[in-house]
Amino acid sequence: MTLTVGSLFSGIGGLELGLERAGMQTVWQVEIDAYAQQILHRHWPDVPKYRDIRACGAHNLAPVDLICGGFPCQPHSLAGRRGGSHDERDLWPEYRRILRELRPRWVVAENVPGLLSTDAGQFFGAILADLATLGYDAEWSVLSACVLGAPHTRERLFLVAHARRLGSFRWRIGEGGAGRNQASDCCDRHLQSAFWTCDPDPLCRVADGLSRGLDKGKRLKVLGNAVVPQVAEVIGRWIMASEGKEQ
């Protein structure tokens, strides 16, 4: 059994890399940043690429079992103005449109934890309402790379939605932000695990697993927008296990 994946706001492919490690197959990617696209072409040379989500839809994207994507976090980041839906970079409506047109069974969305409190929680509530209107049941949690052995915290909000009720699907790590108290211990000890095998950078002490040959001027940008593949892999394994139980 192989689930097909379509990736929105792909960045450098962290989400789909993790999902592929769980046994899925990437069918298409949408990413507007030219430098990030170069990286995607290097690692997924045969996967169709599209630049602007606003020019994509059922007319040019193949049907898939799962759509993943980390829509822009700038409207929700605690480091920004948190304009929410008033920020021109808010592209959740485009994500929602793609879901409505393609109707995948699964949705995996990623963003910063600040998404939960944008507009006093109303923005995230609207996302859940949109998914419910489209027929999806959803669960979400703030997960940290640290609980998988990374020498850094990297907390991110992950939302998983299914076209039918999720049933027995449940978070097993990081639920409710669990693992935050362990962050300093993880960073101090550089814990390793079955999911974390790369060595930390000797300069910044962050094990990101990316090639040191990346352009230094653009490295921080792609790192800042990247998804930790090991976390995506765990989510992918949960989804695959859930699919197996349904058959």
Side-chain angles (χ1 to χ4, degrees), residues 120-202:
Q122 294 184 42
F123 192 101
F124 189 67
I127 289 177
L128 297 180
D130 288 341
L131 290 171
T133 299
L134 292 173
Y136 291 99
D137 186 28
E139 290 192 16
W140 60 94
S141 184
V142 175
L143 302 180
S144 170
C146 178
V147 297
L148 291 177
H152 55 91
T153 306
R154 189 68 177 176
E155 286 187 335
R156 288 296 181 268
L157 172 69
F158 287 87
L159 179 149
V160 176
H162 190 272
R164 296 185 294 274
R165 292 195 61 81
L166 288 171
S168 61
F169 186 89
R170 291 293 181 270
W171 302 103
R172 296 179 186 175
I173 63 170
E175 187 166 6
R180 296 183 183 183
N181 294 332
Q182 306 165 1
S184 60
D185 290 339
C186 288
C187 294
D188 289 341
R189 290 181 287 163
H190 288 177
L191 294 180
Q192 301 296 307
S193 73
F195 291 98
W196 204 270
T197 58
C198 56
D199 294 327
D201 186 309

Side-chain angles (χ1 to χ4, degrees), residues 35 212-221:
Y35 181 67
R212 303 302 165 205
L214 287 176
D215 182 285
K216 292 182 179 179
K218 300 175 181 178
R219 180 182 177 82
L220 286 181
K221 179 180 179 180

Side-chain angles (χ1 to χ4, degrees), residues 3 15 18-24 66-68 106-111 139-144 148 156-161 169-173 195 227-243:
L3 296 185
L15 267 174
L19 296 176
E20 286 189 350
R21 289 176 179 175
M24 304 185 192
L66 182 151
I67 288 180
C68 67
W106 291 94
V107 179
V108 176
E110 177 268 353
N111 215 284
E139 290 192 16
W140 60 94
S141 184
V142 175
L143 302 180
S144 170
L148 291 177
R156 288 296 181 268
L157 172 69
F158 287 87
L159 179 149
V160 176
F169 186 89
R170 291 293 181 270
W171 302 103
R172 296 179 186 175
I173 63 170
F195 291 98
V227 174
V228 175
Q230 289 85 344
V231 178
E233 179 182 355
V234 171
I235 293 174
R237 289 181 184 274
W238 293 339
I239 292 174
M240 294 294 285
S242 180
E243 282 279 309

